[in-house]
Amino acid sequence: SGVVSALAEGFELAASYDPGERNFDAGEITAVKAGEGTGSEVTTDVYPGIEGKDYTDEKFEKAYNNELANDLGNLVQRLATLAAKNGVTIGAREKKALPKEYVRLMDRFEFSKALDFVWERVQDVNKRIDEEKPWVLAKNGEKNLLDACLVNLINDLLDINDLILPFLPHASKRISEVFENPIEPPKEPLFPKS
């Protein structure tokens, strides 16, 4: 769509941006971090309708490390490692319709709220892994339960991956590649900590 194209072009332009400390105008996408050869990038907050938010490298690094590296990167690594170690494969996947709330937010250019919507889902899947404990199912030899658990978690992650595509196109592609059969954990962190 037009929004996806505009965001992708913006990310390409921003990849060469050297973020110093500065004040950004309301509604501006504040930063992109593109690691050389890693294809990783991140946006900081977008504040439509609020005059100038301060951006600092420190705030950027904190958001990058906490949200991308810890939440999403570790989620991908954990699921891929558990699936590969236990011979779990993903069958043909039908893409679901995008959630109505996400579409509404994107249509209204409320990118910060759309990212919050996505991140709630990332955190939910992380929480479910800790609650469902697939490593315990593996240890107890409960192969059928383990397979079902991991397939559900991975499919939920791949649904999330569809939502992050406009914001993190390279990372989204890498996540998709990790979960192609056979599932192969990333050799390098998806989002190397800075």
Side-chain angles (χ1 to χ4, degrees):
S1 76
V3 171
V4 173
S5 298
L7 283 171
E9 288 174 22
F11 285 124
E12 288 174 19
L13 290 172
S16 63
Y17 175 69
D18 181 21
E21 190 163 335
R22 73 168 260 218
N23 211 12
F24 289 87
D25 295 330
E28 184 176 4
I29 295 176
T30 58
V32 172
K33 177 175 184 167
E36 186 63 32
T38 66
S40 59
E41 64 280 326
V42 62
T43 62
T44 61
D45 290 334
V46 177
Y47 299 95
I50 299 174
E51 289 304 316
K53 287 286 183 180
D54 290 330
Y55 167 81
T56 64
D57 287 344
E58 183 178 293
K59 288 179 187 176
F60 178 83
E61 296 295 327
K62 183 178 177 187
Y64 177 86
N65 287 329
N66 289 341
E67 294 177 8
L68 289 180
N70 290 344
D71 288 350
L72 184 57
N74 286 346
L75 176 61
V76 169
Q77 189 71 42
R78 288 171 77 187
L79 284 175
T81 300
L82 282 164
K85 183 177 179 180
N86 292 286
V88 174
T89 58
I90 303 299
R93 182 176 164 264
E94 288 184 35
K95 286 195 176 189
K96 296 179 184 175
L98 297 175
K100 290 179 184 178
E101 178 64 11
Y102 174 82
V103 171
R104 185 186 69 77
L105 293 168
M106 294 295 284
D107 285 347
R108 294 175 61 182
F109 299 98
E110 296 183 56
F111 301 129
S112 182
K113 290 180 182 177
L115 283 169
D116 288 343
F117 179 88
V118 173
W119 238 254
E120 286 175 18
R121 275 132 194 85
V122 170
Q123 292 168 339
D124 178 58
V125 175
N126 271 313
K127 181 180 175 187
R128 285 180 37 225
I129 288 176
D130 292 336
E131 291 171 351
E132 295 176 21
K133 298 178 177 29
W135 54 90
V136 173
L137 296 174
K139 183 178 176 184
N140 293 339
E142 299 181 63
K143 179 73 171 142
N144 291 337
L145 289 174
L146 173 65
D147 288 356
C149 173
L150 288 175
V151 166
N152 287 333
L153 290 167
I154 291 168
N155 280 323
D156 288 347
L157 172 61
L158 293 173
D159 290 342
I160 291 166
N161 195 43
D162 294 340
L163 304 179
I164 67 169
L165 177 64
F167 300 100
L168 302 166
H170 297 293
S172 179
K173 180 180 180 205
R174 287 183 63 208
I175 291 169
S176 293
E177 291 169 353
V178 164
F179 291 101
E180 291 175 354
N181 290 320
I183 296 172
E184 205 171 303
K187 291 176 180 48
E188 301 287 324
L190 189 61
F191 301 101
K193 289 192 178 186
S194 42

